[in-house]
Amino acid sequence: MVKIVVTGAAGRMGRSIINVVRETNETELVGAVERPGYADIGKDAGEVAGSGKLGVKLTDNFEKAIKKADCVIDFTFPEATMHHLDIALKSDVAMVIGTTGFSHHQRERLKEVGGQMQIVAAPNMSVGVNLLLKIVSDMARVLGRDYDVEIIEAHHRLKKDAIQTIRAGDIVGDHTIIFGGLGERMEVTHRAQSRETFARGAVRAAQWVVKQPKGLYDMQDVLGLK
Ligand code: NAD
């Protein structure tokens, strides 16, 4: 049984992760952490997640919650994640990090800490997207420089970070890679239909990382795609 603490537990991803942890036989929720001052602190985390009583109360005391954990799953904000990382390092607890938008300095810190604890960090934890990345790299290798490559991504209007993007309504996450050659065009598209896909990937990563040696891993490692 892998004992899991979810941070950002009342957020969109946190609630979905709590529900996946609950229905996965090999995982157990032992802590659900929100930011200090969050209105629902003290309420049952399962009820906050919309799936009924779990017997784990939402807390703002991460240091206490982590004492019972094998792994933290963190989908919060870069600054909060870095704070949790320092505490997880001291407590020798693994981390799965889904937070996006890290600065260069924060990414360097992740690499440094990766030598001292088990971490999976990936900006997209969907199994399908990570498989698509592998397929696309094979396509790029075969097609070579004669094909133009364009990437289009679309997300909901609240997503903070952006590259070449569409931000509209409640789109969960679409990615299209176009290989344009002379006389033909190939398009590979992945559409996430709910956040559950990321939550399932994160819980799979947690089950995997607790059995690995210390290191900084990504979802390609988790799925054995390297
Ligand atoms: P959200 O705003 O709904 O949830 C974030 C939660 O974190 C909030 O409830 C907030 O109160 C909480 N929080 C903030 N500071 C905290 C702290 N110090 N301790 C504990 N909790 C704290 O956002 P979201 O849609 O759930 O996304 C969260 C992050 O995950 C974003 O960076 C997003 O881009 C990323 N994300 C990654 C993937 C992936 O597959 N890697 C998928 C979806 C979202």
Side-chain angles (χ1 to χ4, degrees):
M1 189 65 78
V2 181
K3 294 183 174 145
I4 291 176
V5 165
V6 174
T7 48
R12 287 172 291 234
M13 280 306 303
R15 281 179 276 139
S16 183
I17 291 163
I18 285 172
N19 292 335
V20 173
V21 170
R22 165 180 227 154
E23 67 180 48
T24 303
N25 287 334
E26 301 81 23
T27 56
E28 181 189 356
L29 187 78
V30 295
V33 181
E34 258 298 334
R35 63 181 158 75
Y38 189 81
D40 286 344
I41 296 293
K43 289 194 180 162
D44 187 275
E47 285 179 344
V48 172
S51 56
K53 216 173 175 71
L54 248 176
V56 175
K57 284 187 177 160
L58 208 59
T59 177
D60 58 6
N61 191 337
F62 178 66
E63 272 163 303
K64 191 171 169 202
I66 200 177
K67 288 202 165 84
K68 304 174 208 155
D70 301 314
C71 186
V72 175
I73 303 183
D74 185 293
F75 284 65
T76 57
F77 291 94
E79 291 69 25
T81 302
M82 298 320 285
H83 175 62
H84 295 149
L85 185 70
D86 286 339
I87 297 168
L89 174 63
K90 278 189 214 136
S91 312
D92 198 23
V93 173
M95 263 187 104
V96 170
I97 298 174
T99 304
T100 60
F102 291 114
S103 67
H104 172 74
H105 175 74
Q106 288 167 331
R107 278 199 297 273
E108 288 302 308
R109 174 76 182 139
L110 265 178
K111 281 187 208 157
E112 186 188 319
V113 173
Q116 303 161 57
M117 63 183 277
Q118 301 139 297
I119 307 173
V120 174
N124 193 312
M125 298 221 168
S126 143
V127 170
V129 161
N130 283 281
L131 189 55
L132 178 128
L133 288 174
K134 167 80 172 135
I135 291 165
V136 163
S137 83
D138 288 349
M139 287 174 79
R141 198 183 61 249
V142 174
L143 295 172
R145 290 177 181 275
D146 291 342
Y147 287 71
D148 300 315
V149 183
E150 290 290 341
I151 300 170
I152 303 166
E153 60 105 353
H155 282 89
H156 54 89
R157 63 174 70 149
L158 299 176
K159 187 162 173 62
K160 300 233 164 66
D161 46 295
I163 45 172
Q164 179 178 337
T165 58
I166 295 162
R167 291 282 175 265
D170 63 355
I171 297 171
V172 175
D174 292 357
H175 294 87
T176 297
I177 298 100
I178 301 169
F179 291 90
L182 296 178
E184 68 176 355
R185 182 172 82 234
M186 275 164 281
E187 297 182 7
V188 189
T189 296
H190 176 275
R191 295 190 203 287
Q193 287 161 331
S194 86
R195 288 187 174 79
E196 196 178 324
T197 180
F198 311 122
R200 290 197 174 279
V203 173
R204 184 164 169 173
Q207 289 172 272
W208 179 87
V209 77
V210 294
K211 296 182 197 139
Q212 306 306 315
K214 290 173 181 170
L216 175 60
Y217 303 98
D218 60 23
M219 280 305 280
Q220 304 279 310
D221 295 306
V222 174
L223 302 175
L225 293 172
K226 281 186 175 165

